Amino acid sequence: MMGPAHSLSGAAAWLGVGAAAYAAGHPMPWPVLVCGALICAGAALAPDLDHKSATISRAFGPLSGMLCGVVDTLSHAVYKATKTRGDAHRSGGHRTLTHTWVWAVLIGGGMSLLATEGGRWAVLGILFVHMVLAIEGLLWRAARVSSDVLVWLLGAATAWILAGILDQPGNGANWLFEAPGQEYLWLGLPIVLGALVHDLGDALTVSGCPVLWPIPIKGKRWYPLGPPKGMRFRAGSRVELKVLMPVFLLLGCLGGLGALGYL
């Protein structure tokens, strides 16, 4: 799928989690709901770090472009080192390592550790990166025609405001993990969810997605998981733009209302 659909599905997924938490009797504080939805929307772009033409490759100027090149090379190397005879030959690393559950868990766990051990500036850094990505995804057309610096400033301001709100007692810094020293440990959860939602979205396209790597399936370690071929679509097609994106928007609205107790 394309960047806007990925981000919208990520936000909808976290809002759905919020609705489920409310139904289970453990409602999220509203700052956690809002912040988590934006982080998940941004994290839903991150698996495309292995693609030099993806939205994320432009999000932070030359720095993100260089990072995409490095991740592409790393992903291709891992693919070649672990593929079986049944796996196809590839000339690049797109839709390999960063499109697996292993990557999602490692990145989410790493961000949780950074948030708990790195203090306020680490939290601000995590928020800033994901706010910029959320803006790039959710406001795709507006972000494309605006200055990169303007997007970065908006991301920085949003991160600073959200961090200040979350730091207030009862607003969610210690949501889910209440032991001393575990503040912001939950930040990794929307990052894991965003990555997995990205992978599942890509699994719906014609190429599929090896989300279950390294589990071998039908003689392939990089088996492209997906529905029957007749149910798949091409990235950027009318199915994605005219059907899936409105569905994601509707589900997000319903999830948000459910999370706030209005359903």
Side-chain angles (χ1 to χ4, degrees):
M1 291 197 299
M2 304 296 286
H6 280 310
S7 284
L8 193 57
S9 66
W14 186 258
L15 293 170
V17 170
Y22 185 91
H26 301 284
M28 290 182 186
W30 71 263
V32 173
L33 184 68
V34 172
C35 186
L38 291 173
I39 291 174
C40 202
L45 295 183
D48 276 343
L49 270 172
D50 61 5
H51 190 8
K52 297 177 183 178
S53 298
T55 301
I56 193 172
S57 71
R58 302 181 297 270
F60 299 96
L63 179 61
S64 54
M66 291 173 57
L67 181 59
C68 284
V70 172
V71 173
D72 177 37
T73 301
L74 172 64
S75 298
H76 189 214
V78 172
Y79 180 85
K80 290 194 298 182
T82 61
K83 74 182 186 72
T84 66
R85 292 183 178 180
D87 291 308
H89 172 74
R90 300 181 66 100
S91 58
H94 183 46
R95 288 203 187 181
T96 55
L97 178 61
T98 62
H99 287 69
T100 67
W101 70 270
V102 175
W103 177 271
V105 171
L106 288 177
I107 292 299
M111 291 298 103
S112 286
L113 182 63
L114 179 62
T116 55
E117 299 296 327
R120 178 175 175 79
W121 287 107
V123 171
L124 283 171
I126 293 169
L127 291 177
F128 168 69
V129 168
H130 288 89
M131 293 308 107
V132 169
L133 292 178
I135 293 167
E136 290 281 357
L138 297 174
L139 303 179
W140 182 70
R141 293 189 183 279
R144 274 288 186 91
V145 299
S146 65
S147 165
D148 285 343
V149 175
L150 182 61
V151 173
W152 299 339
L153 288 174
L154 180 57
T158 305
W160 187 271
I161 292 170
L162 287 175
I165 294 173
L166 287 168
D167 276 342
Q168 298 300 313
N171 277 0
N174 62 344
W175 175 71
L176 201 60
F177 302 97
E178 299 180 353
Q182 292 185 345
E183 292 82 6
Y184 294 108
L185 186 61
W186 64 269
L187 282 183
L189 298 179
I191 294 173
V192 173
L193 180 61
L196 292 177
V197 168
H198 178 111
D199 297 343
L200 294 177
D202 277 354
L204 297 176
T205 64
V206 292
S207 299
C209 185
V211 61
L212 295 180
W213 177 87
I215 301 171
I217 302 174
K218 296 182 180 180
K220 299 180 180 181
R221 188 160 281 123
W222 296 92
Y223 182 80
L225 193 70
K229 290 188 177 181
M231 299 176 62
R232 302 187 188 193
F233 58 88
R234 293 189 178 277
S237 67
R238 290 179 61 85
V239 172
E240 178 180 333
L241 300 176
K242 302 298 183 181
V243 178
L244 290 182
M245 289 187 65
V247 168
F248 295 152
L249 181 60
L250 176 61
L251 292 176
C253 290
L254 293 175
L257 290 173
L260 295 173
Y262 291 110
L263 289 181

